[in-house]
């Protein structure tokens, strides 16, 4: 049987990590390691020896795994990668949809500042804006999604037809704020990330946001959340089906959270467990793995990639 269209709705790229969050440093090291919030971790696969998580390395993985396109979001822990992602989109426009990152942690409270940043990112070719909402709950302050400054940002996204890619704090911590945002900007497309964190209490509150017409949910990092169970992640499949019971399979999208998730598994394994599951129909798999993302991100000319046989087969 022909493999369905595969689109990755949640991935990351960077040249180097060199930033701070909540007063602690994140720095790239050799062999895929990083100093991360006070400890050394294996941030990316060890064969990325120089710490560079480049588009070319990702494309090699995408081609091998037959992933036609990927949405590149951003995280505050990786540092702002706007300049690099602008270059990536210019070089590979048919393969990558890029999200810009605004300076959410600045203490400049000009109500138009974030809106102006988003407008400039739109002019530079960014199709969406990423908000790592769970990083906005700092030890010394909380940046609310329904603040005047953020609301002006969301109105700009709606006016310019940019989508919002957002990850939320665990459970329903920020759900009420998001409901207010959705009501204020009913035409803004929203992709809620990390599948609502299904290993945490109250995750379905985030999933239910997709009952709104313009809201979808993507599963970036779901293999990481069920890492202790490991491949083929039966509990992750059950979570996908439980979410579908709430909002419909046509509102859910696969995402890998590349490259952090492939320190333990291959890129193909991050979706292969769906293809091999007996719990989902072929139609459900096609929607989840690519067709919903094609519709949400308006991907009209995705490429088809051939299967390349392993020499060990």
């Amino acid at each position: 049987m022909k493999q369905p269209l595969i689109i990755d709705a949640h991935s990351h790229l960077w040249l180097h990590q060199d930033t701070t969050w909540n007063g602690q440093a994140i720095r790239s090291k050799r062999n895929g390691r990083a100093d991360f919030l006070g400890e050394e971790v294996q941030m990316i696969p060890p064969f990325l020896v120089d710490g560079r998580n480049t588009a070319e390395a990702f494309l090699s993985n995408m081609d091998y795994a037959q992933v036609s396109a990927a949405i590149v979001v951003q995280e505050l822990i990786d540092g702002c990668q706007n300049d690099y992602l602008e270059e990536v989109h210019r070089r590979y426009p048919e393969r990558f949809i890029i999200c810009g990152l605004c300076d959410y942690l600045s203490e400049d409270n000009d109500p138009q500042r974030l809106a102006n940043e988003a407008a400039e990112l739109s002019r530079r070719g960014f199709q969406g804006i990423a908000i790592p909402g769970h990083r906005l709950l700092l030890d010394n302050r909380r940046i609310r999604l329904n603040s005047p400054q953020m609301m002006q940002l969301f109105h700009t996204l709606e006016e310019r037809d940019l989508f919002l890619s957002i990850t939320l704090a665990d459970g329903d911590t920020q759900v009420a704020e998001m409901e207010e945002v959705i009501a204020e900007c009913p035409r803004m497309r929203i992709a809620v990330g990390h599948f609502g964190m299904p290993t945490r209490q109250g995750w379905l509150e985030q999933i239910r946001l997709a009952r709104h017409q313009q809201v979808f949910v993507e599963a970036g990092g779901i293999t990481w959340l069920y890492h202790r169970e490991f491949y083929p992640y039966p509990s992750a499949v059950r979570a996908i089906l439980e979410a579908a019971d709430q909002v419909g399979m046509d509102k859910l999208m696969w995402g890998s959270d590349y490259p952090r998730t492939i320190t333990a598994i291959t890129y193909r394994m991050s979706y292969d467990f769906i293809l091999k599951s007996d719990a989902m129909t072929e139609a459900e798999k096609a929607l989840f793995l690519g067709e919903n993302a094609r519709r949400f991100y308006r991907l009209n000319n995705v490429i088809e990639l051939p299967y390349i046989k392993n020499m060990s087969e």
Side-chain angles (χ1 to χ4, degrees):
M1 180 180 295
K2 182 181 177 181
Q3 178 167 290
L5 173 71
I6 312 290
I7 296 171
D8 190 340
H10 189 118
S11 65
H12 300 274
L13 294 173
W14 63 77
L15 288 183
H16 287 286
Q17 293 173 304
D18 184 9
T19 190
T20 60
W21 176 75
N22 215 11
Q24 295 183 290
I26 302 100
R27 301 282 186 274
S28 294
K29 300 181 72 171
R30 297 286 298 176
N31 300 330
R33 299 177 184 177
D35 288 327
F36 179 68
L37 307 181
E39 64 176 333
E40 184 178 76
V41 301
Q42 192 71 45
M43 179 68 69
I44 55 179
F47 53 78
L48 297 175
V49 295
D50 60 359
R52 289 162 55 92
N53 169 34
T54 65
E56 288 74 22
F58 190 20
L59 280 169
S60 181
N61 276 279
M62 290 170 63
D63 289 350
Y64 172 74
Q66 297 175 273
V67 175
S68 295
I71 288 71
V72 184
V73 303
Q74 294 199 58
E75 240 277 27
L76 292 176
I77 61 171
D78 300 329
C80 181
Q81 302 293 325
N82 288 340
D83 290 344
Y84 179 54
L85 294 188
E86 183 180 10
E87 176 188 345
V88 167
H89 183 252
R90 184 168 57 248
R91 295 174 66 182
Y92 308 108
E94 74 284 1
R95 303 300 298 278
F96 294 116
I97 298 275
I98 55 171
C99 293
L101 188 71
C102 299
D103 186 4
Y104 306 111
L105 302 185
S106 170
E107 298 199 27
D108 179 353
N109 292 318
D110 176 359
Q112 288 295 324
R113 180 179 61 81
L114 291 177
N116 291 339
E117 289 182 28
E120 175 60 23
L121 289 168
S122 175
R123 285 190 288 271
R124 292 171 61 182
F126 288 82
Q127 299 106 311
I129 296 295
I131 298 182
H134 60 306
R135 303 288 182 197
L136 304 184
L137 280 66
L138 305 170
D139 289 343
N140 60 348
R141 64 181 172 131
R142 173 174 175 173
I143 300 167
R144 294 190 177 273
L145 300 174
N146 57 353
S147 69
Q149 194 177 56
M150 295 293 272
M151 281 298 195
Q152 287 298 320
L153 167 65
F154 297 135
H155 279 296
T156 297
L157 302 192
E158 185 178 48
E159 290 164 5
R160 291 178 174 266
D161 198 21
L162 302 174
F163 67 84
L164 170 66
S165 173
I166 187 165
T167 54
L168 300 175
D170 290 354
D172 65 354
T173 304
Q174 294 171 305
V175 167
E177 294 173 25
M178 280 304 301
E179 289 283 5
E180 187 173 334
V181 169
I182 293 165
E184 184 78 10
C185 300
R187 294 180 288 107
M188 179 175 61
R189 289 175 291 147
I190 302 170
V192 176
H194 291 169
F195 217 64
M197 300 291 285
T199 56
R200 310 291 197 266
Q201 290 292 324
W203 69 283
L204 287 174
E205 295 302 314
Q206 294 188 35
I207 298 296
R208 293 185 187 109
L209 289 170
R211 291 176 174 174
H212 296 280
Q213 183 178 4
Q214 79 278 29
V215 182
F216 283 53
V217 177
E218 46 92 341
I222 198 167
T223 58
W224 161 67
L225 291 168
Y226 292 96
H227 173 67
R228 291 187 178 181
E229 179 180 86
F230 208 65
Y231 188 91
Y233 307 108
S235 295
V237 175
R238 286 194 290 271
I240 292 166
L241 292 172
E242 188 172 0
D245 285 342
Q246 296 289 320
V247 299
M249 191 64 74
D250 62 337
K251 300 301 287 291
L252 308 177
M253 305 182 290
W254 170 71
S256 69
D257 210 7
Y258 175 99
R260 281 180 269 265
T261 48
I262 66 163
T263 55
I265 60 174
T266 68
Y267 185 49
R268 185 187 291 273
M269 288 169 70
S270 66
Y271 73 78
D272 187 64
F273 74 99
I274 297 293
L275 288 179
K276 289 184 168 58
S277 174
D278 294 330
M280 296 173 65
T281 68
E282 296 305 311
E284 288 173 330
K285 293 173 185 179
L287 288 173
F288 182 72
L289 290 173
E291 291 301 332
N292 293 336
R294 187 213 292 262
R295 178 163 50 98
F296 179 85
Y297 297 106
R298 300 173 181 170
L299 291 161
N300 298 318
N301 298 304
V302 290
I303 65 171
E304 290 190 17
L305 295 162
Y307 176 74
I308 303 299
K309 179 182 176 181
N310 288 330
M311 62 85 60
S312 58
E313 290 182 46

